[in-house]
Amino acid sequence: MIPIPKGFSFGAMSAGFKNSLKYDLGVVLCETEAPAAGVFTQNAFPAAPVQVARDMLAGRKTARAVCINSGQANAATGDRGMVDCRLSLEMLGDALGIPEESILPASTGVIGVPMDMAKWRDAAPELAGRMGKSSPMDFARAIMTTDAFPKVAWANISGLPGSEGPVRVLGFAKGAGMICPNMATMLSVVLTDAEVEPALLREVLAESVSLSFNRIIVDGDTSTNDTVYAMASGASGAKAGREHKDALSEAFADVCQALAYMIVEDGEGATKVVRIAVTGARDNGDAEKVARAVGKSPLVKTALFGKDPNWGRILGAVGYSGAAFDPDHVTISMGKIPLFRNGHPVEGESKQLLAPHMRRQDIEINIDLGAGGGHYEVLASDLGHGYVRINAEYTS
Amino acid sequence: MIPIPKGFSFGAMSAGFKNSLKYDLGVVLCETEAPAAGVFTQNAFPAAPVQVARDMLAGRKTARAVCINSGQANAATGDRGMVDCRLSLEMLGDALGIPEESILPASTGVIGVPMDMAKWRDAAPELAGRMGKSSPMDFARAIMTTDAFPKVAWANISGLPGSEGPVRVLGFAKGAGMICPNMATMLSVVLTDAEVEPALLREVLAESVSLSFNRIIVDGDTSTNDTVYAMASGASGAKAGREHKDALSEAFADVCQALAYMIVEDGEGATKVVRIAVTGARDNGDAEKVARAVGKSPLVKTALFGKDPNWGRILGAVGYSGAAFDPDHVTISMGKIPLFRNGHPVEGESKQLLAPHMRRQDIEINIDLGAGGGHYEVLASDLGHGYVRINAEYTS
């Protein structure tokens, strides 16, 4: 059983947005107005629900519900998209008997296609009737697009005063899977029954996102709809003040990192999860440049798909990353086996030794720039035929 | 017949670097010491021949020959790579009866593998015996790796004083094709029989490269070995002074742009050449950011492979490019048909109208940011199964 933080209930259904019987609409409802926070895409074309939710959270820092639909992104839909988003929340608020302005929206689906409001009108009362009858797994399924599996992770927060039972964090996510063109959105919701002030909740969420979802690379494309929400019901009775930030952050980061791993694991056509750890950079920014250049390189990603310990391609990407270093001080290892050290290839049988590591799902690349104390780490998928098939062959 | 600029001869052979009978070693020889220029990779791990050639051209601004081998990149080979490179030039200089320091080297092949010097020793005298007997096409073939076709282009320079016949520019290139892992190098040589001072030659070459090879995107990976050389024999008798720079630049840019097009056309697994033209940017730098973000986006590239006029993915890439603009002033068109205008999708049958355009080899994407006068253009390939097959399945 998935441990549900106290105070939350779920509803999920098929509204027909996907033109199938699959679930495509889900709501998390909190029994009281609860502190809420959001982290949104940096894309210059934010989808309508992103714009609406940003405005909402800029005002009140609380919410009663998060509503997520798949099947239609409501992105690049102009003024009509904004009107439709607000209308969908009004319909849902009426059906649930809560204010429309306390429902945080998120959408994923085809860019540039207006929402089907008739379907929303039919769905709202049915969804209201399902509240509390759907499971967390139903909700996790409702937010999937081409994800191969629902993504749920949880943790407990230790050491909080005021609670007898466990204090819980439960997270959901969908990954960057595409079958219909343009679906490439990362969405996540993290719930806790700890009592957390909005400002602290926002801080902990932003830090957890920067340690998890912001460090994964499937194809390097940033969606118009990416959204991560957090809500804190306080229903456990445990209060997490600023003095408990570390415990809170640890639980949030655990949940977000587990979900982030699942997103990479479930990347389109991905067969591997590659951890690229850069150390010895002049600063953390340089380390990030290198990690991202390697994680995005199509040459590195196709080599990994081919189980090829192709350190020359890694070296090439390090070289064009823009980071400052002395090539003679750089070490590149895979699976702990050094391949290039201090400007020279490592002599010997390292490629043969690496063969078992290359067959694994989890691959390690370590790059030491020998230039300082900066470090950064990303998780990346490989690039194989599945990616091309999913993204090219299902045309509109 | 390929029109050869006066004063140049060619030699090409199979030295066995590729372990096959295919040509893998080629030389262009000028009958006199001639003004020469080079443009090199920005990668922080430049291959040994790049380091050697940079030093040579930093001193003397002239050369007698360019020597290119395929089958071994001599990159990431440490001190030994530098010694091997100089030794290979010494062997060749002895055989050709010219100073080793007037031969400009370039290599392409597997990164991190030392050169086979016994093969160089055998090849040098044989290559010297072939000088003048090989054709330009033989030379073009010798520098190929997985290129599907040899790449040669030419132009005449008009309006130069001192010559009775045509004054010629002839260029060769190899593209970023990989079968052996780690081969990803762009090499080119541009020859003219105009008389051009070294400083002007260098200037014209650098400008032509920035208008051609620097504006193509196959996979966004920058090689350790990329090199473009120019040599001016002066043998036509026509002198191109600074007052003829425009005519010279036009002929050089024509040749380099034709070669650049061929490289994209012959990109690994590529089925399309996509011209991404960005206008209306705040400045040219912003236009370049947008053009490169779109040209590198795996989502855009797989959609093009799938013949899908998927403007939502283009919009997504424009949005994360980092350029400054107002989303409500942006227009995105393909094949002259507007798809997104002033913040709204264009209503109507545009996707159907685009179907014939999407089936073409040459695809046009036009993006007007509505933010100023900046513009930039790139040529990009699509991303299909061939790319994955070539780069993943031929493992080491």
Side-chain angles (χ1 to χ4, degrees):
Chain A
M1 285 294 291
I2 296 173
I4 305 177
K6 287 180 187 158
F8 294 102
S9 60
F10 301 90
M13 65 174 288
S14 168
F17 299 141
K18 282 181 177 169
N19 296 317
S20 79
L21 294 178
K22 286 187 182 165
Y23 282 0
D24 51 18
L25 182 59
V27 164
V28 188
L29 181 68
C30 185
E31 59 190 14
T32 54
E33 184 82 10
V39 175
F40 301 97
T41 180
Q42 299 297 309
N43 196 296
F45 293 100
V50 170
Q51 297 182 59
V52 169
R54 267 188 193 144
D55 286 351
M56 287 169 57
L57 287 172
R60 63 209 284 168
K61 313 287 186 201
T62 59
R64 279 296 299 277
V66 170
C67 173
I68 301 181
N69 73 277
S70 53
Q72 46 193 16
N74 199 8
T77 42
D79 303 331
R80 176 173 170 185
M82 297 293 285
V83 171
D84 286 349
C85 179
R86 292 209 177 88
L87 187 58
S88 70
L89 297 180
E90 191 185 316
M91 291 168 177
L92 195 63
D94 285 350
L96 291 171
I98 62 174
E100 60 180 271
E101 62 272 20
S102 70
I103 308 172
L104 294 166
S107 300
T108 175
V110 183
I111 291 180
V113 177
M115 295 213 292
D116 185 335
M117 297 315 295
K119 287 182 178 164
W120 274 100
R121 197 173 302 275
D122 293 341
E126 187 181 335
L127 188 60
R130 295 200 178 205
M131 291 312 303
K133 294 172 192 152
S134 300
S135 71
M137 213 56 164
D138 292 331
F139 178 78
R141 286 206 182 87
I143 68 174
M144 286 166 63
T145 49
T146 56
D147 301 64
F149 54 89
K151 297 171 184 66
V152 185
W154 57 86
N156 289 341
I157 309 173
S158 52
L160 294 193
S163 167
E164 300 200 347
V167 187
R168 293 186 160 125
V169 177
L170 172 62
F172 303 88
K174 73 162 292 291
M178 279 151 273
I179 282 187
C180 276
N182 307 316
M183 290 192 191
T185 296
M186 212 270 337
L187 299 180
S188 177
V189 182
V190 185
L191 309 172
T192 179
D193 50 15
E195 185 187 336
V196 191
E197 289 294 312
L200 180 60
L201 185 65
R202 154 100 205 141
E203 215 175 295
V204 167
L205 180 68
E207 285 173 19
S208 299
V209 168
S210 82
L211 291 171
S212 57
F213 302 122
N214 282 352
R215 298 193 178 205
I216 58 177
I217 296 172
V218 174
D219 50 23
D221 278 86
T222 305
S223 143
T224 50
N225 292 52
D226 292 343
T227 301
V228 184
Y229 287 126
M231 288 180 78
S233 71
S236 69
K239 190 172 161 56
R242 194 156 283 280
E243 68 276 23
H244 308 106
K245 190 185 160 190
D246 286 353
L248 196 60
S249 293
E250 194 183 329
F252 266 65
D254 274 1
V255 167
C256 290
Q257 284 171 348
L259 294 170
Y261 181 93
M262 290 182 220
I263 288 174
V264 176
E265 188 182 19
D266 195 16
E268 305 102 332
T271 65
K272 298 196 178 294
V273 178
V274 189
R275 187 175 299 272
I276 302 160
V278 179
T279 53
R282 195 179 46 170
D283 52 37
N284 291 350
D286 261 16
E288 182 173 351
K289 278 184 196 163
V290 170
R292 291 189 182 276
V294 174
K296 281 188 183 181
S297 161
L299 290 178
V300 172
K301 289 162 97 79
T302 45
L304 291 167
F305 176 69
K307 304 182 180 63
D308 184 8
N310 201 324
W311 61 267
R313 294 185 185 176
I314 298 170
L315 175 132
V318 174
Y320 66 70
S321 67
F325 57 84
D326 178 342
D328 287 341
H329 295 162
V330 173
T331 301
I332 297 173
S333 313
M334 293 180 82
K336 308 271 189 293
I337 297 171
L339 297 164
F340 180 82
R341 187 155 47 198
N342 300 338
H344 293 76
V346 175
E347 309 276 338
E349 305 305 308
S350 41
K351 283 206 178 185
Q352 281 85 330
L353 290 173
L354 261 175
H357 185 74
M358 299 312 295
R359 285 193 294 269
R360 293 183 52 190
Q361 175 177 338
D362 290 285
I363 303 287
E364 275 178 40
I365 298 176
N366 289 283
I367 300 159
D368 186 336
L369 296 179
H375 58 94
Y376 198 82
E377 204 174 286
V378 299
L379 289 185
S381 59
D382 56 343
L383 172 57
H385 288 296
Y387 182 85
V388 174
R389 192 168 52 246
I390 293 170
N391 287 300
E393 294 184 5
Y394 293 77
T395 62
S396 54
Chain B
M1 285 292 292
I2 295 173
I4 305 176
K6 287 179 189 160
F8 294 101
S9 60
F10 301 89
M13 66 175 288
S14 168
F17 300 140
K18 284 181 177 170
N19 296 316
S20 79
L21 294 178
K22 287 188 181 163
Y23 282 2
D24 51 17
L25 182 59
V27 164
V28 187
L29 182 67
C30 185
E31 61 190 14
T32 55
E33 184 84 10
V39 175
F40 302 98
T41 180
Q42 298 299 309
N43 196 296
F45 293 101
V50 169
Q51 296 181 60
V52 168
R54 266 189 193 142
D55 286 351
M56 287 168 59
L57 287 173
R60 62 208 284 168
K61 313 287 187 200
T62 59
R64 280 295 301 276
V66 170
C67 173
I68 300 181
N69 74 276
S70 54
Q72 46 193 15
N74 200 7
T77 42
D79 303 331
R80 176 173 170 185
M82 296 294 284
V83 171
D84 286 349
C85 179
R86 293 209 176 86
L87 187 58
S88 70
L89 297 179
E90 191 183 317
M91 292 168 176
L92 194 64
D94 285 352
L96 291 171
I98 62 175
E100 59 181 271
E101 62 272 20
S102 68
I103 309 172
L104 294 166
S107 300
T108 175
V110 183
I111 292 180
V113 177
M115 296 215 290
D116 184 336
M117 296 315 294
K119 287 182 179 164
W120 274 101
R121 195 172 303 278
D122 293 342
E126 187 180 334
L127 188 61
R130 294 202 179 204
M131 291 314 302
K133 294 173 194 152
S134 300
S135 70
M137 212 55 165
D138 292 332
F139 177 78
R141 286 207 182 86
I143 68 174
M144 287 166 61
T145 49
T146 56
D147 301 63
F149 55 88
K151 296 172 184 65
V152 185
W154 55 87
N156 289 342
I157 309 174
S158 52
L160 294 192
S163 168
E164 301 199 350
V167 188
R168 293 186 159 126
V169 178
L170 172 62
F172 303 88
K174 74 163 290 290
M178 280 149 273
I179 282 187
C180 276
N182 306 317
M183 289 189 190
T185 296
M186 211 276 328
L187 300 179
S188 177
V189 183
V190 185
L191 310 171
T192 180
D193 50 15
E195 186 187 335
V196 190
E197 290 294 313
L200 181 60
L201 185 65
R202 153 101 203 139
E203 216 174 295
V204 166
L205 180 68
E207 286 174 16
S208 299
V209 168
S210 81
L211 292 171
S212 57
F213 302 122
N214 281 353
R215 298 192 177 206
I216 58 178
I217 297 172
V218 174
D219 51 21
D221 278 87
T222 305
S223 143
T224 49
N225 291 53
D226 292 343
T227 301
V228 184
Y229 287 126
M231 288 179 78
S233 72
S236 68
K239 189 171 161 56
R242 194 156 283 278
E243 67 278 23
H244 308 106
K245 191 185 160 191
D246 286 352
L248 196 61
S249 292
E250 194 184 329
F252 267 65
D254 274 0
V255 167
C256 290
Q257 284 171 348
L259 294 170
Y261 181 94
M262 291 180 217
I263 288 174
V264 177
E265 187 181 19
D266 197 16
E268 306 103 332
T271 65
K272 298 195 178 295
V273 179
V274 189
R275 189 174 297 272
I276 302 161
V278 179
T279 53
R282 194 181 48 173
D283 52 37
N284 291 349
D286 261 16
E288 181 173 351
K289 277 184 197 165
V290 170
R292 290 190 182 276
V294 174
K296 280 188 183 181
S297 161
L299 290 179
V300 172
K301 291 162 94 82
T302 46
L304 292 166
F305 175 68
K307 303 183 181 61
D308 183 9
N310 201 323
W311 62 267
R313 294 184 184 176
I314 299 169
L315 173 134
V318 173
Y320 66 68
S321 67
F325 57 85
D326 178 342
D328 287 340
H329 295 162
V330 173
T331 301
I332 297 173
S333 313
M334 292 180 81
K336 307 275 189 289
I337 296 172
L339 297 163
F340 180 81
R341 187 154 50 197
N342 299 338
H344 294 75
V346 174
E347 310 277 337
E349 306 305 308
S350 42
K351 283 207 176 183
Q352 281 84 326
L353 290 173
L354 262 174
H357 185 74
M358 298 313 296
R359 285 193 294 268
R360 293 182 54 191
Q361 176 176 336
D362 290 287
I363 303 286
E364 276 179 39
I365 298 176
N366 288 283
I367 300 158
D368 186 336
L369 296 179
H375 58 94
Y376 199 81
E377 202 175 288
V378 300
L379 289 184
S381 59
D382 58 342
L383 172 57
H385 289 297
Y387 182 87
V388 175
R389 193 169 52 247
I390 293 170
N391 287 299
E393 295 184 4
Y394 294 77
T395 61
S396 54

